[in-house]
Amino acid sequence: MKPTNTVFTGLETTVFERMSRLASEHKAINLGQGFPDVDGPQDVRQVAADALMQDPNQYPPMLGVPALRQAVADNNKRFYDLDIDWQSEVLVTSGATEALADSIFALVEPGDEVILIEPLYDCYLSLVKRAGATPVFVQVTPPNWELHEDQLRKAFSSKTKAILINNPMNPNAKVFHKDELQLIADLCLEYDCYAICDEVYEHIVFSEAKHKPLMTLPGMRDRCVRIGSAGKTFSLTGWKIGYITAPHNLLEPIAKAHQFVTFTTPPNLQKAVAYGLNKDDDYYVSFEKELEAKRDLISGPLADMGFSVLQCEGTYFVTCDFSPLGFNGTDVEFCQKMVEEAGVAAVPISAFYGTHEGPKTLVRFCFCKKDEVLHEALSRLRTWMGAMAVS
Ligand code: PMP
Ligand code: GLN
């Protein structure tokens, strides 16, 4: 028989799914795949339930229900002072994953180069390859995850169509600083290319950092596609509601890609997310404070156990270097041993690299879990380490 598609054939199942399966096999606490263990706000869920029962459940408009598109535009104004026309510059998608696929398929074609920053969120590489474009990798490097100007500059060429930037960044919890964003903006302008900005963790940024969309930098309003996700902002990852903010001339082809990928997204969930996005500032402030407290709850004890805990400025992930513990194996082996012996699942950071060599002693812990679950995970890790020390 003829071969199936080369990008997807033989591709591994995602590391998140694999770690979640291992966690359930070993009855482990799952700090691997990123999802909260408590559902998001009850009032948001109630709006979805009411709309499900009382409103039509037929195809909503292809671009998204007006209330949600308006709420996305209002959010852009409230948080970033961006003036967005909700009718022509906002598109609702089935999750940020679909938004990324639509954006890449609409902007990029064979012969183009797309710059990807490693460590990278897993779907980027396959989507770029499926679009027929050539990925060009640049790494931010631990422990501080700096972006190196010379390397970034070298990655740009006349073939560069787009750079994909994830800010705040999964898995390494980096929030790009103003000078780094300025450098990216300068290069996009110099090489006349687009920026696809995956900003799903825009509302999970801690006190020492501030999220600034690349779109707000001079000259970038016309070149950026900004992607958000209700899954992250409202702790409702199963809903898969994403949204794109982009200038009309970019949104138009992106919407054409969307119309043949999913066409639309459940109307009741869209209405509930519109309600959620319009919540007052208190919601956003306390959401971040709650997660910041969880970051601190887990980071101190992990450091006390001997992990080198890297800075976490945003997202609900903390990255740790296990090499001070004296383990002589890879991050994949460490995670395997930890899930089997300690009963705690994490994710190896090497899974977030494309073709380049990356660090092999880093693991990612997800901390958007109940405090008692985090305490139990820490206690299991302490016991495990104690046992390793005697053996
Ligand atoms: N981008 C990043 C960086 C993510 O961590 C995730 C998490 N799932 C997504 C995109 C996908 O978001 P969604 O679930 O809304 O598709
Ligand atoms: N974004 C989530 C993470 O980084 C996983 C989402 C998924 O499993 N596709 O853990």
Side-chain angles (χ1 to χ4, degrees):
M1 286 209 283
K2 287 181 178 161
T4 51
N5 179 274
T6 50
V7 174
F8 297 111
T9 305
L11 198 63
E12 270 190 303
T13 303
T14 81
V15 69
F16 311 116
E17 184 81 17
R18 279 185 280 134
M19 288 315 300
S20 286
R21 277 186 213 158
L22 270 180
S24 90
E25 228 172 81
H26 294 279
K27 301 200 174 9
I29 294 177
N30 190 355
L31 306 187
Q33 189 176 31
F35 63 91
D37 61 356
V38 175
D39 278 347
Q42 176 152 2
D43 52 350
V44 174
R45 286 182 282 135
Q46 191 62 54
V47 173
D50 293 346
L52 181 83
M53 296 314 291
Q54 288 155 22
D55 295 350
N57 285 280
Q58 309 307 327
Y59 296 130
M62 189 266 279
L63 292 173
V65 301
L68 178 51
R69 285 150 62 207
Q70 279 167 15
V72 170
D74 291 349
N75 226 252
N76 273 299
K77 181 69 184 167
R78 170 160 45 142
F79 290 103
Y80 313 118
D81 201 25
L82 282 167
D83 289 303
I84 302 297
D85 174 19
W86 71 267
Q87 301 205 59
S88 64
E89 297 185 309
V90 177
L91 170 70
V92 178
T93 58
S94 293
T97 311
E98 193 219 320
L100 284 157
D102 296 343
S103 304
I104 292 168
F105 295 158
L107 302 184
V108 155
E109 59 198 338
D112 290 340
E113 291 180 357
V114 177
I115 299 175
L116 300 176
I117 304 179
E118 290 177 312
L120 46 82
Y121 182 61
D122 64 347
C123 67
Y124 298 170
L125 182 54
S126 293
L127 291 174
V128 166
K129 284 188 182 162
R130 191 62 196 90
T134 306
V136 176
F137 297 96
V138 174
Q139 292 194 351
V140 289
T141 49
N144 298 323
W145 305 109
E146 283 141 11
L147 181 66
H148 304 282
E149 177 169 355
D150 52 334
Q151 286 171 23
L152 185 65
R153 201 170 276 285
K154 238 193 313 183
F156 277 83
S157 79
S158 58
K159 291 190 177 153
T160 309
K161 178 63 80 65
I163 180 169
L164 209 167
I165 149 167
N166 178 205
N167 182 30
M169 196 171 182
N170 177 11
N172 50 332
K174 171 188 174 72
V175 175
F176 282 79
H177 300 160
K178 192 154 183 284
D179 47 351
E180 295 171 317
L181 293 172
Q182 189 60 59
L183 173 66
I184 295 169
D186 290 346
L187 288 165
C188 285
L189 292 166
E190 188 179 331
Y191 286 89
D192 182 24
C193 64
Y194 303 117
I196 300 170
C197 303
D198 176 348
E199 300 183 5
V200 298
Y201 299 101
E202 61 185 320
H203 292 300
I204 311 178
V205 175
F206 305 129
S207 359
E208 63 276 22
K210 191 166 167 42
H211 176 60
K212 191 169 173 57
L214 188 63
M215 193 180 234
T216 61
L217 271 69
M220 294 308 284
R221 170 74 170 78
D222 298 340
R223 294 180 177 273
C224 285
V225 172
R226 203 175 89 71
I227 296 171
S229 169
K232 315 297 174 195
T233 299
F234 299 107
S235 301
L236 294 162
T237 60
W239 280 19
K240 299 295 287 186
I241 303 278
Y243 20 88
I244 301 180
T245 304
H248 178 58
N249 62 319
L250 300 186
L251 196 82
E252 211 168 30
I254 293 171
K256 299 290 159 56
H258 163 74
Q259 73 180 352
F260 294 139
V261 175
T262 59
F263 178 64
T264 190
T265 298
N268 66 316
L269 301 182
Q270 292 195 49
K271 287 173 192 161
V273 172
Y275 167 88
L277 284 174
N278 289 331
K279 275 177 168 292
D280 60 24
D281 291 354
D282 288 353
Y283 170 74
Y284 294 90
V285 172
S286 58
F287 180 52
E288 281 178 333
K289 288 271 161 273
E290 216 173 277
L291 284 166
E292 186 164 344
K294 291 183 187 297
R295 173 198 67 176
D296 296 342
L297 186 162
I298 188 170
S299 299
L302 285 170
D304 292 342
M305 280 177 225
F307 283 103
S308 168
V309 180
L310 277 56
Q311 191 181 14
C312 166
E313 298 177 304
T315 76
Y316 37 55
F317 306 114
V318 66
T319 299
C320 292
D321 190 339
F322 58 78
S323 46
L325 301 175
F327 178 82
N328 283 325
T330 64
D331 55 349
V332 174
E333 289 160 350
F334 186 85
C335 287
Q336 182 77 33
K337 205 169 153 65
M338 188 164 65
V339 73
E340 284 170 8
E341 297 178 5
V344 176
V347 169
I349 295 286
S350 61
F352 296 83
Y353 286 78
T355 55
H356 281 208
E357 280 295 295
K360 294 283 189 293
T361 60
L362 302 179
V363 295
R364 187 195 81 175
F365 292 98
C366 172
F367 56 77
C368 53
K369 307 290 175 186
K370 293 189 205 79
D371 286 1
E372 61 267 31
V373 172
L374 296 174
H375 283 299
E376 172 61 17
L378 291 166
S379 151
R380 289 185 184 194
L381 287 173
R382 264 186 225 105
T383 308
W384 179 52
M385 285 183 190
M388 280 204 295
V390 261
S391 66

